[in-house]
Amino acid sequence: MSPPDEPSGEAPGKPLPPGQYIPRGWPVLHYGPVPRFRPESWDFRVFGATESGGQYRWTWEEFERLPRTRAVGDFHCVTKFSILDNEWEGVPGSTVVELAPPHPDVTHVMVWAEYGYSANIRMSDFLADTTMFAMYRNGERLTPDHGFPVRLVVPHLYAWKSVKWVRGVEYMVKDRRGFWEERGYHNVADPWNEQRYSYQEEEGEAPPY
Ligand SMILES: Nc1nc2c(c(=O)[nH]1)N[C@H]1C(S)=C(S)[C@@H](COP(=O)(O)O)O[C@H]1N2
Ligand SMILES: [Mo]
């Protein structure tokens, strides 16, 4: 997570979370290489504590036919750049939950990407109105750099939770830390409360290391 582009000098049209600024352009930020998309072997799996005890698997062809929605959301990276008012289009978290019902004891989900990147969020974050598995931004297909074919967006949390190149969702009956949450970043990651680092976590906000 190294700092991205320089500030644009642009004044935002609305309040930004503390410490954030508007960069020039849309920075690309991730750990490791950009995966190649192979439509014939790509799949999206839902596993862990499902209601039925079984797993769900959608091929690319099937995933592309799932119901989509559009929502406008901001994007706040913990390295302090913010991209405002993105119009995302994709499959809502709530649709995944309808099609692949979780066990009633599920409290959190782990979203898994290519190469083992992951991020944990609360079920309430997963079901939020603007949380979705996005395939388009501002009417255009995502580019490989930005997560093509499918990325999660969770606009109300720091963007390391917005997992690019998603391949699956794990339902969890107990919280567990994802990739950055294990490496010193805050388990919840609310930008309005500047929940950047794990040392800021309060009782009940995180599982033990
Ligand atoms: N698979 C994967 N998703 C990821 C990351 C990553 O390293 N791997 N980095 C996260 C971080 S820290 C940020 S800020 C955003 C950046 O998204 P962007 O490159 O589209 O701006 O992706 C998030 N999703
Ligand atoms: Mo980030």
Side-chain angles (χ1 to χ4, degrees), residues 81-104:
F81 72 84
S82 288
I83 311 292
L84 304 183
D85 302 325
N86 307 283
E87 192 206 61
W88 302 106
E89 179 178 334
V91 179
S94 58
T95 298
V96 170
V97 160
E98 277 161 33
L99 297 174
H103 187 278

Side-chain angles (χ1 to χ4, degrees), residues 49 102-110 120-127 170-176 187:
H103 187 278
D105 293 346
V106 170
T107 54
H108 293 77
V109 310
M110 188 75 79
N120 57 316
I121 57 174
R122 298 167 296 198
M123 185 49 99
S124 55
D125 299 314
F126 193 61
L127 295 175
E170 177 185 356
Y171 291 148
M172 306 194 293
V173 295
K174 186 163 118 219
D175 197 8
R176 219 169 69 224
N187 193 57

